[in-house]
Amino acid sequence: MRRLLLLGFLAFLLVWASSPLMAQIQEGSPSGAQARETVQGENWDPQEVYRRARLLVDKGSLRQGLDLFLQLREQSPRYRPLVVQRHICQLYERIGDISKALEEYEGFIRRFPWARDRVQMLMRMAAMAEVALHDLGRAWRYLEMIPEDKVPPGDMAPYLFNKGYLLEKMGKKDEAVEYYRRLVEEYPQTVGGFWAKERLKELTQNEVSGGQERDTGR
């Protein structure tokens, strides 16, 4: 039972930066084909198109709202570019097209490297790559794009745990242990610090058990 709780917590912590992810995928998955939403040239008003796109999303017509945001980006690239790009990223995520969502998030990071939520966005991307696509290498690459001195203090414990846990899953136990130990030393009172201690215990026990088996086999 304890092990099941641990695994459940690890999965939760990995999606710390994207808690609505799975619920939104289920909520936003279209049940049937939807007509594409477009605006004709003579009626083009970027402010009105933006308003209509937001209204469609609020009503649950995610795909149609996405179509309008894509059209808005193409035809009025200077109209609120950061906000429009963010909507596109999030809508691809919500309808469950994670590969396309990550492609758009990567475009966001390249285009707006100064965005205030860049760190949280990269952590969100890492969670999607690991949880939805099971691509550990890609998840690690996103975390490596985060300069440690740019991580807000309140996000440091999850950041360190995520790096340690990904390294552990990739088979790099020694490197994972370094992150876990640092987390336990620097953030002992956090939830991440507690579970880092648990991971260290298990990894240490495995090493001891493995050594005993080798000694017995001689």
Side-chain angles (χ1 to χ4, degrees):
M1 182 65 179
R2 182 181 178 83
R3 186 173 182 81
L4 288 175
L5 289 173
L6 172 61
L7 292 175
F9 174 79
L10 296 178
F12 162 76
L13 200 54
L14 271 169
V15 295
W16 159 84
S18 57
S19 55
L21 173 60
M22 295 307 175
Q24 287 176 340
I25 289 174
Q26 295 299 323
E27 168 194 328
S29 298
S31 57
Q34 292 180 316
R36 289 183 60 84
E37 188 76 15
T38 60
V39 177
Q40 300 304 316
E42 63 271 15
N43 299 320
W44 186 260
D45 175 358
Q47 185 173 354
E48 176 61 19
V49 173
Y50 180 84
R51 188 194 69 79
R52 284 181 56 184
R54 287 289 305 272
L55 184 61
L56 284 167
V57 172
D58 290 343
K59 290 182 176 180
S61 299
L62 304 185
R63 173 60 70 176
Q64 291 175 314
L66 174 59
D67 288 341
L68 280 188
F69 279 121
L70 289 169
Q71 189 180 6
L72 180 58
R73 181 175 67 179
E74 180 180 353
Q75 295 190 214
S76 297
R78 294 186 179 182
Y79 181 80
R80 306 186 69 179
L82 184 147
V83 176
V84 170
Q85 180 69 23
R86 191 190 305 279
H87 279 297
I88 291 170
C89 294
Q90 293 173 347
L91 283 168
Y92 272 120
E93 180 183 348
R94 290 182 65 183
I95 65 177
D97 191 342
I98 302 304
S99 294
K100 189 64 178 176
L102 287 175
E103 179 183 321
E104 292 290 348
Y105 275 121
E106 289 176 3
F108 184 101
I109 293 296
R110 287 193 300 270
R111 190 176 179 190
F112 308 107
W114 39 263
R116 287 183 296 178
D117 61 343
R118 183 176 186 273
V119 169
Q120 290 80 4
M121 186 170 288
L122 283 165
M123 293 186 73
R124 186 181 188 87
M125 292 162 65
M128 285 190 284
E130 197 281 330
V131 175
L133 302 184
H134 309 292
D135 189 337
L136 302 182
R138 190 173 186 177
W140 178 256
R141 179 166 59 85
Y142 291 145
L143 290 182
E144 283 285 86
M145 291 171 66
I146 303 174
E148 191 169 306
D149 61 353
K150 300 297 184 183
V151 179
D155 297 337
M156 184 58 76
Y159 168 78
L160 292 174
F161 187 90
N162 286 350
K163 294 196 82 170
Y165 187 57
L166 277 174
L167 286 167
E168 182 183 346
K169 292 189 73 174
M170 290 189 291
K172 300 180 179 181
K173 301 294 177 64
D174 292 341
E175 295 177 54
V177 165
E178 291 180 12
Y179 278 99
Y180 290 148
R181 284 178 176 162
R182 181 181 166 193
L183 182 50
V184 170
E185 291 172 3
E186 297 181 15
Y187 302 93
Q189 302 304 316
T190 64
V191 176
F194 171 81
W195 286 107
K197 188 182 298 184
E198 293 295 305
R199 298 306 307 139
L200 284 171
K201 287 180 184 177
E202 183 164 335
L203 291 173
T204 302
Q205 288 173 354
N206 289 341
E207 287 180 3
V208 172
S209 299
Q212 290 175 343
E213 289 176 2
R214 287 192 296 272
D215 292 341
T216 304
R218 288 178 181 173

